[in-house]
């Protein structure tokens, strides 16, 4: 039997905050951390590579923590780097444990055995998503409605091209809540808002929303915030305050519409 990937003194692969929060919102932050298990060293990378977007979603965990407090919402986040295993990808596909991320080769991910891949899945990916499933089950048991907020951030420039959007609203099926958030953001006329930009939700590029929201027929929105806007505490706090209001107003609009349909 192989040795565990994580030593006993290393943090668990899933972190939960404000778990007893009873608002309708559940916040997920799949790419919140950049930690590498000691057993994997630095994956053959200099620290400055791990510190940039290929290693994690800069700034978004701080925004999510503010949101958790403002909304009284549970927050589930991953502290290990997406370079170890991406918790927002289906295990087994190339981008799950990338050998190349953007234009950067990841030496520690090249030539892995199936056993090594399975170990990363079993010790990091699976406990993270099992924790989300457990929270959803518990909330359903107690009759607490759930709307999933999947929080991410994106780079201002990608492959040499500047991205004009300041925030993106991503969605796939069952998009009523996400589209309400999109409309509320656009009505403010304060930001350049991406409609399924700079990414969109799909079964190939995403795992959390398809698995936890769409399969459970739960309302959701996946949010991308441009990283240069949330690298500093002031920006993180301001975006959280603005989004908390948007998310709450959108929830009120959606539930009001549903009530009228049922009346």
């Amino acid at each position: 039997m192989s040795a565990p990937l994580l030593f006993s003194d290393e943090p668990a692969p899933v972190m939960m905050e404000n778990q007893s929060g009873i608002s309708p919102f559940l916040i997920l932050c799949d790419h919140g951390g950049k930690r590498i298990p000691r057993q994997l060293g630095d994956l053959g990378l200099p620290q400055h590579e791990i510190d940039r977007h290929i290693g994690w979603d800069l700034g978004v965990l701080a925004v999510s923590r503010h949101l958790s407090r403002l909304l009284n919402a549970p927050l589930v986040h991953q502290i290990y780097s997406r370079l170890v295993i991406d918790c927002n990808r289906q295990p087994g596909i190339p981008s799950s444990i990338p050998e190349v991320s953007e234009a950067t080769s990841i030496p520690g991910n090249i030539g892995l055995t199936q056993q090594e891949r399975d170990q990363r899945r079993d010790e990091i990916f699976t406990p993270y998503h099992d924790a989300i499933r457990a929270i959803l089950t518990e909330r359903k048991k107690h009759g607490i409605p759930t709307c999933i907020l999947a929080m991410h951030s994106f780079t201002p420039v990608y492959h040499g091209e500047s991205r004009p959007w300041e925030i993106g609203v991503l969605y796939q099926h069952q998009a009523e809540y996400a589209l309400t958030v999109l409309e509320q953001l656009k009505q403010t006329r304060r930001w350049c808002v991406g409609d399924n930009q700079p990414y969109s939700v799909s079964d190939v590029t995403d795992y959390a929303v398809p698995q936890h929201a769409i399969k459970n027929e739960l309302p959701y929105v996946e949010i991308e915030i441009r990283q240069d806007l949330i690298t500093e505490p002031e920006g993180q706090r301001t975006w959280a305050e603005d989004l908390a209001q948007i998310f709450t107003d959108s929830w009120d609009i959606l539930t009001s519409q549903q009530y009228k349909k049922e009346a």
Side-chain angles (χ1 to χ4, degrees), residues 58-164:
L58 284 73
V60 78
L61 178 57
V63 175
S64 298
R65 282 176 162 152
H66 285 303
L67 280 170
S68 175
R69 175 180 54 81
L70 291 166
L71 297 171
N72 190 24
L75 164 63
V76 184
H77 61 95
Q78 176 58 259
I79 69 166
Y80 289 96
S81 172
R82 69 203 305 175
L83 295 174
V84 178
I85 186 166
D86 193 323
C87 284
N88 196 35
R89 297 291 186 275
Q90 179 72 41
I93 67 173
S95 58
S96 169
I97 303 176
E99 295 185 358
V100 177
S101 185
E102 296 182 7
T104 301
S105 177
I106 317 299
N109 289 350
I110 296 172
L112 297 181
T113 66
Q114 188 59 52
Q115 183 180 21
E116 289 170 327
R117 293 178 178 276
D118 290 347
Q119 186 177 47
R120 296 192 194 186
R121 178 199 65 201
D122 294 345
E123 293 195 38
I124 294 179
F125 179 94
T126 298
Y128 177 75
H129 288 288
D130 281 352
I132 297 170
R133 292 185 179 97
I135 289 177
L136 291 174
T137 298
E138 190 70 9
R139 289 172 69 87
K140 184 176 181 180
K141 176 182 174 182
H142 289 92
I144 304 171
T146 299
C147 177
I148 290 178
L149 309 176
M151 301 297 296
H152 296 267
S153 67
F154 67 97
T155 56
V157 178
Y158 185 68
H159 288 309
E161 291 192 14
S162 295
R163 290 163 150 175

Side-chain angles (χ1 to χ4, degrees), residues 17 27-29 32 57-71 75 149 151-153 167 223-227 229-244 247:
E17 301 181 22
I27 305 168
L28 308 182
C29 195
D57 278 2
L58 284 73
V60 78
L61 178 57
V63 175
S64 298
R65 282 176 162 152
H66 285 303
L67 280 170
S68 175
R69 175 180 54 81
L70 291 166
L71 297 171
L75 164 63
L149 309 176
M151 301 297 296
H152 296 267
S153 67
I167 185 170
I223 292 292
E224 293 272 359
I225 306 172
R226 206 174 67 203
Q227 289 171 357
L229 304 175
I230 54 172
T231 54
E232 300 297 331
E234 182 178 355
Q236 295 160 357
R237 184 174 56 254
T238 299
W239 272 97
E241 290 170 352
D242 290 337
L243 286 175
F247 291 150

Side-chain angles (χ1 to χ4, degrees), residues 226-263:
R226 206 174 67 203
Q227 289 171 357
D228 59 310
L229 304 175
I230 54 172
T231 54
E232 300 297 331
E234 182 178 355
Q236 295 160 357
R237 184 174 56 254
T238 299
W239 272 97
E241 290 170 352
D242 290 337
L243 286 175
Q245 190 64 56
I246 294 284
F247 291 150
T248 301
D249 290 348
S250 298
W251 177 256
D252 290 344
I253 291 169
L254 183 67
T255 53
S256 174
Q257 290 172 344
Q258 290 175 340
Y259 176 79
K260 288 178 181 178
K261 288 179 183 179
E262 295 169 0

Side-chain angles (χ1 to χ4, degrees), residues 13-80:
V14 54
M15 304 296 287
M16 292 180 282
E17 301 181 22
N18 196 16
Q19 192 171 349
S20 60
I22 58 170
S23 83
F25 302 106
L26 172 61
I27 305 168
L28 308 182
C29 195
D30 304 331
H31 301 147
K34 59 180 178 177
R35 191 183 183 99
I36 309 291
R38 289 205 307 273
Q39 190 177 136
L40 301 181
D42 54 15
L43 293 175
L45 294 170
Q47 187 61 44
H48 71 83
E49 290 284 8
I50 298 170
D51 289 343
R52 69 186 188 90
H53 181 67
I54 65 170
W56 64 322
D57 278 2
L58 284 73
V60 78
L61 178 57
V63 175
S64 298
R65 282 176 162 152
H66 285 303
L67 280 170
S68 175
R69 175 180 54 81
L70 291 166
L71 297 171
N72 190 24
L75 164 63
V76 184
H77 61 95
Q78 176 58 259
I79 69 166
Y80 289 96

